[in-house]
Amino acid sequence: MAKIKVTKVKSAINRPQRQKRTLEALGLKKIGQVKEHEATPNILGMVAKVSHLVSVKETK
């Protein structure tokens, strides 16, 4: 299965609690932090909800 690298690029200040929790569930706390995840439908859905706060790159 493909993997993706998710990088937090914007702050979660003044964002809804739901988006803050989604970032925490992805393992992102600080700006610039990178986490690698499997590209499952659950993870891709979470990334889509906070796409304005993160950047995504596909890896092999």
Side-chain angles (χ1 to χ4, degrees), residues 14-48:
N14 289 334
R15 301 291 178 188
Q17 189 67 32
R18 186 173 189 167
Q19 291 177 6
K20 291 179 184 181
R21 288 185 184 148
T22 302
L23 288 171
E24 286 183 22
L26 287 170
L28 301 172
K29 296 182 180 180
K30 296 181 178 182
I31 294 176
Q33 189 173 11
V34 179
K35 289 289 181 171
E36 191 168 319
H37 294 283
E38 295 285 335
T40 63
N42 290 341
I43 296 295
L44 294 176
M46 292 167 64
V47 169

